Amino acid sequence: MSTQPISANQPHFFEDLAELKRQLTVEGELVEARVSRAMQGLDTRDLDALDEVAIGDAEVNALQMAIDDRAFKLLALYQPVAVDLRVIVAAIKINADLERVGDLAVNIAEAARRYLAAGRALPEQKLLPRMAEIAQTMLHDALGAFVTGNLGVAQAVLERDDALDSLREQTFRELVDVISQHPEVVQPALELLSISRHLERVGDHATNVAEDIFFVVAGEDVRHHAGLTRSE
Amino acid sequence: MSTQPISANQPHFFEDLAELKRQLTVEGELVEARVSRAMQGLDTRDLDALDEVAIGDAEVNALQMAIDDRAFKLLALYQPVAVDLRVIVAAIKINADLERVGDLAVNIAEAARRYLAAGRALPEQKLLPRMAEIAQTMLHDALGAFVTGNLGVAQAVLERDDALDSLREQTFRELVDVISQHPEVVQPALELLSISRHLERVGDHATNVAEDIFFVVAGEDVRHHAGLTRSE
């Protein structure tokens, strides 16, 4: 942690900053749990669970606004510099990413509902639960790395994104085959395809978080270096 | 524009802030032009144009890093408060949104290439060019509203997002019909479907920008008020 004079003159600064990180962790756990519940609802055909995810994002939204508000006040009150400033700027971006993951949980739940409503079960998709697990672990690790400033963990998150992208492509090919052979299931197959896209995007947001950690810790912008490629 | 003492003490602050807005406008025009070129490439089957968009995002990425850097330095050097601080925080978020639109232009160009490579023309999709036009206008207007602080224009951007979402759903239904009747074109049809999703997401990013303007001008967070709904 830095020892700039400005921050040192403000005894509450570090408490407020720790609280900002704590709130981001809570938000991260919340959106992870919502993605997980949506995927579980799809797996167990639990419409109640899916409805709950689809309509229940008020808590995420309230938390997101509280975090933005805290970050803004930290900037305005303490006028931090160097690493403290970078942490807060990163927190503002991470907050936006986590809120989008919350939106993606809603999108997954809605697609899962439409899939179940179509009433035609497709061959079991084993790739989707694997994608969900990777995406959630990436997000969890990225947030942990943000709190601890661990660049090794952040780097590992960046590297796992390729595995997720390749599972998404595999899912795409499998579903194209299913649709070609059984055109009557095109609609439910497309819903599963959307879910795979949403999960890939959860991983993209985790990647954003991991990239922000390099900016915070090293003052470096890794986003467009090191052969990082991404698709949205 | 505000007249805080801190800013007033720093004669270069307003110049730097104006330059930040100018750079965001340039970035916005660049990503708009790239979306437009990708859609034109699809329409005219121009593989060179598509290749150019697919591989040419270095300029957007460089501009994005320059903008982040300038915003960060503005915070660190001038420690602005109130509306000036809100403009810079908003600029950081808008910059992230514009870079994602740049990524979406790449995604559109790649999907269009795969569509053309499949070698099976589908019935003409009139909805995609309309979606592109709405999405680009939303983005253009949102950035204009950010520079001028015009809330009326920002509100109009938010309202147009529903039209875009409904065109996306219409595209989805049309393509489901095409696939059901001609399962041999499932793959090219899915590429067009991805393009419609990418265009919808360009509109979502424009919506993010418009929401940030309310935060800047009114100090209000409209994101989760006023019945705003969104899908990613």
Side-chain angles (χ1 to χ4, degrees):
Chain A
M1 193 50 78
S2 82
T3 52
Q4 288 82 44
I6 287 171
S7 309
N9 287 342
Q10 306 279 1
H12 294 301
F13 177 76
F14 291 117
E15 278 170 40
D16 280 357
L17 194 62
E19 177 60 17
L20 182 70
K21 288 182 177 179
R22 197 195 62 78
Q23 280 181 312
L24 276 175
T25 306
V26 171
E27 188 184 16
E29 283 165 0
L30 189 61
V31 298
E32 261 174 58
R34 287 170 55 72
V35 169
S36 170
R37 191 153 172 75
M39 291 302 295
Q40 221 172 15
L42 172 64
D43 184 45
T44 61
R45 313 181 71 82
D46 181 346
L47 286 173
D48 289 341
L50 295 175
D51 283 345
E52 198 186 298
V53 176
I55 61 171
D57 64 349
E59 199 182 347
V60 179
N61 293 342
L63 199 48
Q64 188 223 357
M65 289 201 279
I67 290 169
D68 255 5
D69 196 49
R70 179 177 300 273
F72 188 78
K73 283 184 181 142
L74 274 165
L75 289 176
L77 285 178
Y78 300 103
Q79 301 169 341
V81 295
V83 67
D84 296 335
L85 176 56
R86 293 201 298 272
V87 167
I88 297 169
V89 167
I92 290 170
K93 291 183 185 177
I94 292 171
N95 190 31
D97 279 304
L98 293 180
E99 194 245 349
R100 301 286 185 268
V101 174
D103 288 346
L104 289 167
V106 171
N107 298 158
I108 292 170
E110 288 173 346
R113 279 200 303 199
R114 289 189 300 263
Y115 171 75
L116 296 178
R120 291 172 174 275
L122 299 187
E124 195 192 350
Q125 299 300 313
K126 291 184 181 159
L127 299 179
L128 290 181
R130 278 176 58 198
M131 286 189 73
E133 199 194 323
I134 295 176
Q136 284 168 281
T137 309
M138 284 172 70
L139 190 63
H140 184 85
D141 289 355
L143 277 170
F146 174 68
V147 171
T148 60
N150 189 323
L151 289 184
V153 173
Q155 182 61 40
V157 170
L158 296 181
E159 284 160 12
R160 252 173 303 162
D161 200 39
D162 285 346
L164 197 58
D165 289 352
S166 112
L167 280 173
R168 215 274 295 167
E169 280 163 31
Q170 226 176 305
T171 307
F172 182 87
R173 287 193 300 269
E174 284 194 15
L175 288 169
V176 166
D177 282 351
V178 168
I179 296 171
S180 303
Q181 287 159 32
H182 309 280
E184 70 280 9
V185 298
V186 53
Q187 174 136 20
L190 290 183
E191 301 299 352
L192 294 185
L193 195 61
S194 313
I195 292 174
S196 76
R197 287 219 176 82
H198 297 321
L199 291 172
E200 186 193 16
R201 292 195 47 228
V202 172
D204 288 340
H205 289 294
T207 300
N208 292 348
V209 173
E211 287 170 356
D212 286 331
I213 298 162
F214 283 85
F215 163 73
V216 169
V217 174
E220 267 174 29
D221 200 325
V222 294
R223 283 171 298 194
H224 306 297
H225 302 304
L228 287 176
T229 54
R230 57 186 307 151
S231 59
E232 284 237 330
Chain B
M1 193 51 79
S2 82
T3 53
Q4 289 83 44
I6 287 171
S7 310
N9 288 341
Q10 305 280 2
H12 295 300
F13 177 76
F14 291 117
E15 278 170 39
D16 280 357
L17 194 63
E19 178 59 17
L20 182 71
K21 288 182 179 180
R22 197 195 62 80
Q23 280 180 312
L24 277 175
T25 305
V26 170
E27 188 184 17
E29 282 165 1
L30 189 60
V31 298
E32 259 174 61
R34 288 171 55 71
V35 170
S36 170
R37 191 152 173 77
M39 290 303 295
Q40 220 171 16
L42 172 65
D43 185 44
T44 61
R45 312 181 71 83
D46 180 346
L47 286 173
D48 290 339
L50 295 175
D51 284 344
E52 198 187 299
V53 176
I55 61 170
D57 63 349
E59 198 183 346
V60 179
N61 295 342
L63 199 48
Q64 189 223 357
M65 290 201 279
I67 290 169
D68 255 6
D69 197 50
R70 179 177 298 273
F72 188 79
K73 282 183 181 143
L74 274 164
L75 290 175
L77 286 178
Y78 300 103
Q79 303 170 339
V81 295
V83 67
D84 296 335
L85 176 56
R86 293 202 297 272
V87 167
I88 297 168
V89 167
I92 290 169
K93 292 183 187 177
I94 291 171
N95 190 29
D97 279 303
L98 293 180
E99 193 245 350
R100 300 288 184 267
V101 175
D103 288 344
L104 290 167
V106 172
N107 297 158
I108 291 170
E110 288 173 346
R113 279 201 303 201
R114 289 190 300 264
Y115 171 77
L116 295 179
R120 292 173 173 274
L122 298 187
E124 195 192 350
Q125 298 298 313
K126 292 185 183 158
L127 299 180
L128 290 181
R130 277 176 58 197
M131 287 189 72
E133 198 194 324
I134 294 176
Q136 285 169 281
T137 308
M138 283 173 70
L139 191 64
H140 184 85
D141 290 355
L143 278 170
F146 174 67
V147 172
T148 59
N150 189 325
L151 290 183
V153 174
Q155 181 62 39
V157 170
L158 297 181
E159 284 160 12
R160 252 174 302 163
D161 200 37
D162 284 345
L164 198 57
D165 290 351
S166 112
L167 280 173
R168 216 274 295 164
E169 280 161 32
Q170 224 176 309
T171 307
F172 181 87
R173 287 192 300 271
E174 286 193 13
L175 288 169
V176 166
D177 283 349
V178 168
I179 297 170
S180 303
Q181 287 160 31
H182 309 280
E184 69 281 8
V185 298
V186 54
Q187 174 137 19
L190 290 183
E191 302 299 351
L192 295 185
L193 197 60
S194 315
I195 292 174
S196 77
R197 286 218 176 81
H198 298 321
L199 291 172
E200 186 193 16
R201 291 195 46 229
V202 172
D204 287 341
H205 289 294
T207 301
N208 292 347
V209 173
E211 287 170 356
D212 285 331
I213 298 162
F214 283 87
F215 164 73
V216 169
V217 175
E220 266 173 31
D221 200 325
V222 294
R223 284 172 297 194
H224 307 298
H225 302 306
L228 289 176
T229 56
R230 56 186 309 149
S231 59
E232 285 237 332

